[in-house]
Amino acid sequence: MQLPRGAAGGCGCALFPLLSILFVQAVLRNTVLAGRWWRTPLIPAPRKQRQADLCVPPTLSLEISADAHVRGYVGEKIKLKCTFKSSSDVTDKLTIDWTYRPPSSSRTESIFHYQSFQYPTTAGTFRDRISWVGNVYKGDASISISNPTLKDNGTFSCAVKNPPDVYHNIPLTELTVTERGFGTMLSSVALLSILVFIPSAVVVVLLLVRMGRKATGVKKRSRSGYKKSSIEVSDDTDQEDSNDCMARLCVRCAECLDSDYEEAY
């Protein structure tokens, strides 16, 4: 059955406005959605996720500092200084570890451990020679080595952990132990001379000069026929009297001692 040509044209005219409305609605909907998406701010990824994505290590929560080079002498105590700063309070979970690596070697040896108490090594070359000289509540993790020898040369490292602060750097300390040379001994002798012998020598020289002046004055007086005044004569008399009194006192003491000795027998 075929519709008349006029009827088919009427149906097409009726559908055209409907299709136009649907098309406009679809375009507006897409435009609104596109505007919302464009205006929506981007939410940044969490910090840890960004660091993991960028392969960046986490921020250090512990900062440890130590001397890069330390010089010591055979037989004299050496201090290895190590300090730390933590963003958390110090607790009994804090640990400190000192290690030693000999020169030209990759072998590492543990020489000291701390956790509420000190645990120095009981074996190896540093046995009974490591002492704790630090204070964790002041951020000090230092140790000392007694009776160092030339064999103690090497690299020392200080590691501190204070949970939850566990990320930290590991500073290295190069220890160089030598024997005291002639120059060092000479400097010590020179310092001792400056502090002791030179002041003594100055005093002796002053005394000699004074005595020489007195002797020169006496000679001049004797040559010129100098006569003593009444005051000088009286001073000499008093001096002689005091000397006589002292002599008599010494004789009397000697007599007393002799009498006591005879009575004892």
Side-chain angles (χ1 to χ4, degrees), residues 2-238:
Q2 295 182 355
L3 293 176
R5 181 177 299 179
C11 291
C13 293
L15 292 175
F16 180 76
L18 180 61
L19 292 175
S20 299
I21 293 172
L22 293 176
F23 176 76
V24 172
Q25 289 180 351
V27 171
L28 293 175
R29 183 179 300 174
N30 293 333
T31 303
V32 172
L33 291 176
R36 290 180 180 178
W37 174 82
W38 180 261
R39 295 176 184 177
T40 302
L42 297 176
I43 300 175
R47 183 177 180 180
K48 293 183 178 179
Q49 184 177 355
R50 295 201 309 271
Q51 290 177 345
D53 294 339
L54 298 176
C55 298
V56 177
T59 305
L60 297 178
S61 54
L62 262 173
E63 295 182 5
I64 306 176
S65 303
D67 296 331
H69 300 280
V70 175
R71 185 180 182 87
Y73 298 99
V74 174
E76 300 181 13
K77 183 177 290 187
I78 299 174
K79 180 180 179 180
L80 300 180
K81 188 176 181 181
C82 177
T83 58
F84 64 91
K85 294 181 180 179
S86 176
S87 59
S88 302
D89 295 334
V90 174
T91 63
D92 56 356
K93 295 181 180 179
L94 181 140
T95 61
I96 299 172
D97 290 283
W98 277 89
T99 58
Y100 165 74
R101 188 179 74 245
S104 303
S105 176
S106 58
R107 180 180 58 87
T108 302
E109 175 185 354
S110 177
I111 61 174
F112 182 84
H113 176 74
Y114 176 93
Q115 186 173 6
S116 300
F117 297 97
Q118 306 93 31
Y119 300 97
T121 182
T122 57
T125 57
F126 295 96
R127 178 180 179 181
D128 300 330
R129 295 197 295 127
I130 303 296
S131 302
W132 169 252
V133 294
N135 187 340
V136 295
Y137 296 102
K138 295 183 179 181
D140 191 354
S142 305
I143 61 174
S144 64
I145 303 175
S146 302
N147 300 320
T149 64
L150 298 177
K151 296 180 179 180
D152 296 339
N153 290 333
T155 305
F156 295 80
S157 64
C158 174
V160 182
K161 292 184 179 180
N162 184 33
D165 295 346
V166 294
Y167 296 103
H168 61 83
N169 59 317
I170 301 179
L172 302 179
T173 300
E174 293 289 339
L175 175 63
T176 303
V177 181
T178 59
E179 294 183 354
R180 283 192 176 274
F182 178 75
T184 306
M185 297 176 63
L186 184 61
S187 62
S188 301
V189 172
L191 181 61
L192 182 63
S193 301
I194 293 173
L195 296 178
V196 178
F197 294 106
I198 291 180
S200 302
V202 172
V203 172
V204 171
V205 170
L206 292 176
L207 291 175
L208 292 175
V209 171
R210 185 175 181 182
M211 292 174 65
R213 288 181 179 177
K214 286 185 177 181
T216 304
V218 171
K219 288 181 180 179
K220 288 181 178 180
R221 290 174 184 176
S222 62
R223 290 177 182 177
S224 61
Y226 174 77
K227 294 183 180 181
K228 295 182 179 181
S229 64
S230 60
I231 296 176
E232 293 177 346
V233 171
S234 62
D235 291 341
D236 294 341
T237 304
D238 295 338

